[in-house]
Amino acid sequence: MDSNPLLTLPYESAFADLGVDYYDEVTPASFPKHILRFRNDALLPKIGLSAEAVSDRNFIEAFGQFQSKQADHYSPFLALRYHGYQFHSYNPFLGDGRGFLHGQVRGDDGKLYDFGTKGSGPTPYSRGGDGKLTLKGGVREVLASEALNSLGVNTSRTLSLIETGEALHRGDEPSPTRSSVMVRFSLSHIRFGTFERLHYIKRPDLAKSLLDHVIEIYYPHLLSIETEQERYGQWFIELSKRLATLVAQWMTAGFCHAVLNTDNMSITGESFDYGPFAFIEEYDPRFTAAYFDYSGLYCYGNQPSACYWNLEKLAVALDGVVEAAVLEPGLAQYQPKYAEVYCDRFLKQLGFTTDAARQLGSGEVRELISQTLTLLERTHVGYHDFFSTLTQQFTFDWQTDSTHILQTTLERSDPQAAEQLSQWRSLYQHALIRLPKDTMTSVQQCLKAANPEIVLHRPKIEAVWELITEEDNWQPFYTLLEAIRNPMTA
Ligand code: AMP
Ligand code: MG
């Protein structure tokens, strides 16, 4: 029998080598059925494989039946231990309750990647849960990760989704509902909550070993900093900037993660774990995606402050390893980095490349962004509709004739909106006038490159899901997937 290329990858044991204080070995569930619903062929070259070399059966054996990997060393499946703040309450009973670290593989970029399961059965951290993932939950995570990736958001990816033939009961889905198991591909599953647990159990020695591991594997360029505390301080600055960058990417993409607990914050600054997420329809800072987020703690507009709060909690958890003063600069650089990336991406959505944006004064940039947001909020023009309409209506004469900028039906229906729009047009035109005349082509190109024509709004997911449940028709899912993977040219 041919060997399975997914099982014979050169698996590494970086996390396992940390020792048993950080995880528990677990046995995967056996499922009654394995139907491969999604395989991410785009990721295979990253781990040295071609799509042709890997059969569907190979995916099922590796990521549905969880056959043993054939590594040079013992390579168990590890449920990771972690705690976390959930909606600001500390929870010491978390940990991988329905997943495990399947394996770690070096990518073609030299970085170490995790295969992490979701829905692979109970573990010591399941707390009475079934350890399973609903098929709808799996479908939603595949779509979210692919959509975010194509919008330039630093996100985990999904390697595979296999339907597993069980009937699950959930309070938030019509039940019984179909089951699945998913494999995630991401830099790391070490979370802020992994450190919080070590602080809680008063093991600064373990926290220090983990931090050294994080730097060695995920921030190796910092190893040349000889003084330990200085190295830790630089690491925290970099993590803070990565997180600020990520949140700015979400915000400009109009994405609401929904569950920003510290156990969902990756130590590498990648976005992951997509539950009740949503892309906003209108610009509404209070928009809250999770039905169980009663106070709106993690609403769209709170995401920057929620992630900063998490960063502060991580700083506390590092007490005993890193001096508080050493972590201050990292905290201080979060907000400026957020503002820098947010402005850069927002201006691109308005057609100003990073170079073009240098022609604008900082006050002008602030005014343009805040006026755009006010216009969006007051007129209820769709967040993505606004930018895609701007892109579609582009004409080269915007610098000379502001009346051609953004024609919408609003003007005829609402005098207040018309006034708002006319003020915005003149502000936008003033910004455009700052650019040399021959750069309007670059404005057009920039608009096209920054603004998706198709967005993964909830009704699109629901429509796809309806056909899956009613007719077991997966074609609309694959069509939507293809469209969100190429959203600027859909
Ligand atoms: P999440 O909301 O997916 O970030 O999960 C929060 C915690 O609940 C983690 O410890 C999960 O492993 C655990 N969890 C979520 N769903 C289940 C389930 N169906 N069975 C067992 N544990 C679960
Ligand atoms: Mg989670």
Side-chain angles (χ1 to χ4, degrees):
M1 201 174 71
D2 288 344
S3 69
N4 182 337
L6 294 172
L7 296 174
T8 52
L9 287 166
Y11 284 101
E12 297 189 20
S13 56
F15 196 84
D17 292 345
L18 276 171
V20 295
D21 291 304
Y22 300 91
Y23 52 75
D24 294 77
E25 251 184 67
V26 289
T27 310
S30 306
F31 298 108
K33 275 191 192 160
H34 306 91
I35 309 164
L36 184 63
R37 295 302 187 187
F38 170 70
R39 48 178 279 173
N40 202 336
D41 286 348
L43 292 178
L44 294 177
K46 268 181 177 291
I47 49 171
L49 298 175
S50 69
E52 300 74 48
V54 188
S55 67
D56 288 0
R57 172 115 301 272
N58 293 152
F59 267 95
I60 286 171
E61 287 167 359
F63 302 141
Q65 295 171 336
F66 297 109
Q67 293 185 3
S68 299
K69 291 163 281 171
Q70 285 142 40
D72 295 338
H73 46 82
Y74 180 57
S75 186
F77 299 131
L78 308 176
L80 308 187
R81 298 179 181 179
Y82 56 83
H83 294 176
Y85 283 92
Q86 298 187 302
F87 293 90
H88 286 190
S89 300
Y90 193 76
N91 188 342
F93 304 107
L94 294 173
D96 276 343
R98 55 168 163 174
F100 51 74
L101 178 62
H102 173 283
Q104 294 185 292
V105 176
R106 191 74 47 188
D108 62 350
D109 53 6
K111 295 179 181 169
L112 189 65
Y113 287 92
D114 281 3
F115 294 168
T117 67
K118 190 168 180 179
S120 46
T123 76
Y125 306 101
S126 299
R127 295 176 291 156
D130 58 9
K132 305 290 170 67
L133 173 66
T134 67
L135 183 60
K136 187 177 186 184
V139 160
R140 283 174 51 83
E141 179 145 346
V142 170
L143 291 171
S145 54
E146 289 304 296
L148 289 173
N149 178 60
S150 60
L151 294 173
V153 177
N154 299 330
T155 177
S156 68
R157 305 288 295 278
T158 311
L159 193 51
S160 62
L161 179 69
I162 294 173
E163 182 169 0
T164 48
E166 293 180 314
L168 305 181
H169 291 268
R170 292 287 183 275
D172 52 3
E173 279 185 43
S175 295
T177 187
R178 289 154 75 173
S179 65
S180 69
V181 66
M182 197 193 90
V183 174
R184 190 184 284 146
F185 180 83
S186 73
L187 276 177
S188 175
H189 285 78
I190 300 173
R191 305 136 195 269
F192 289 12
T194 314
F195 283 96
E196 282 158 355
R197 166 179 167 266
L198 300 172
H199 181 64
Y200 183 88
I201 63 171
K202 300 193 170 55
R203 291 296 303 268
D205 55 324
L206 296 179
K208 183 178 181 328
S209 300
L210 186 66
L211 179 53
D212 289 338
H213 166 87
V214 164
I215 293 174
E216 185 193 330
I217 307 286
Y218 305 108
Y219 299 78
H221 50 285
L222 301 179
L223 288 171
S224 57
I225 303 174
E226 279 180 25
T227 320
E228 194 168 70
Q229 290 295 312
E230 198 185 318
R231 186 162 66 243
Y232 293 159
Q234 281 303 322
W235 162 75
F236 198 64
I237 288 174
E238 196 169 324
L239 170 61
S240 168
K241 287 182 172 177
R242 288 192 196 185
L243 186 60
T245 300
L246 172 65
V247 182
Q249 290 168 345
W250 288 343
M251 294 300 287
T252 46
F255 180 76
C256 184
H257 180 285
V259 192
L260 297 179
N261 294 334
T262 58
D263 54 303
N264 283 342
M265 296 275 112
S266 161
I267 208 73
T268 59
E270 267 183 334
S271 178
F272 80 120
D273 212 359
Y274 303 112
F277 74 87
F279 282 87
I280 56 171
E281 304 245 359
E282 289 181 1
Y283 178 75
D284 171 10
R286 299 300 307 163
F287 171 81
T288 304
Y291 69 90
F292 49 82
D293 184 358
Y294 306 111
S295 69
L297 182 66
Y298 299 141
C299 66
Y300 169 74
N302 280 359
Q303 296 187 111
S305 60
C307 288
Y308 181 77
W309 190 93
N310 292 341
L311 202 61
E312 284 183 313
K313 287 287 166 272
L314 175 62
V316 172
L318 290 168
D319 180 34
V321 182
V322 193
E323 292 155 22
V326 170
L327 298 173
E328 286 294 327
L331 292 173
Q333 291 191 39
Y334 177 86
Q335 172 54 31
K337 185 66 187 177
Y338 172 76
E340 176 200 320
V341 180
Y342 184 86
C343 289
D344 183 64
R345 286 181 59 104
F346 199 98
L347 288 174
K348 286 200 175 96
Q349 290 175 197
L350 288 173
F352 299 89
T353 61
T354 308
D355 269 348
R358 290 205 186 93
Q359 314 293 320
L360 311 179
S362 58
E364 201 171 6
V365 166
R366 265 198 304 277
E367 183 68 5
L368 181 59
I369 294 177
S370 84
Q371 287 298 319
T372 306
L373 293 176
T374 306
L375 176 75
L376 291 174
E377 199 170 4
R378 299 232 180 110
T379 58
H380 304 283
V381 172
Y383 182 77
H384 298 93
D385 278 355
F386 172 82
F387 293 107
S388 75
T389 309
L390 198 64
T391 307
Q392 282 156 25
Q393 292 183 356
F394 174 87
T395 55
F396 285 90
D397 65 358
W398 281 359
Q399 281 177 316
T400 48
D401 189 347
S402 73
T403 58
H404 288 175
I405 301 173
L406 204 69
Q407 311 289 313
T408 88
T409 49
L410 273 178
E411 288 157 282
R412 270 168 276 138
S413 57
D414 178 350
Q416 245 186 334
E419 174 58 26
Q420 204 110 51
L421 193 56
S422 119
Q423 281 174 16
W424 179 82
R425 269 190 196 120
S426 93
L427 201 63
Y428 185 53
Q429 186 191 26
H430 272 94
L432 289 173
I433 289 169
R434 297 227 180 258
L435 309 184
K437 283 205 173 51
D438 55 358
T439 50
M440 284 306 278
T441 312
S442 95
V443 171
Q444 183 180 33
Q445 281 165 356
C446 186
L447 283 167
K448 281 189 179 165
N451 297 310
E453 285 176 30
I454 173 153
V455 178
L456 189 65
H457 287 131
R458 273 184 176 161
K460 289 205 176 64
I461 307 179
E462 290 302 316
V464 156
W465 179 247
E466 203 173 299
L467 285 156
I468 293 172
T469 37
E470 287 179 5
E471 300 171 17
D472 206 23
N473 177 0
W474 285 77
Q475 199 44 53
F477 165 72
Y478 297 120
T479 306
L480 177 61
L481 191 61
E482 198 46 37
I484 56 162
R485 282 176 150 182
N486 302 289
M488 315 303 178
T489 54

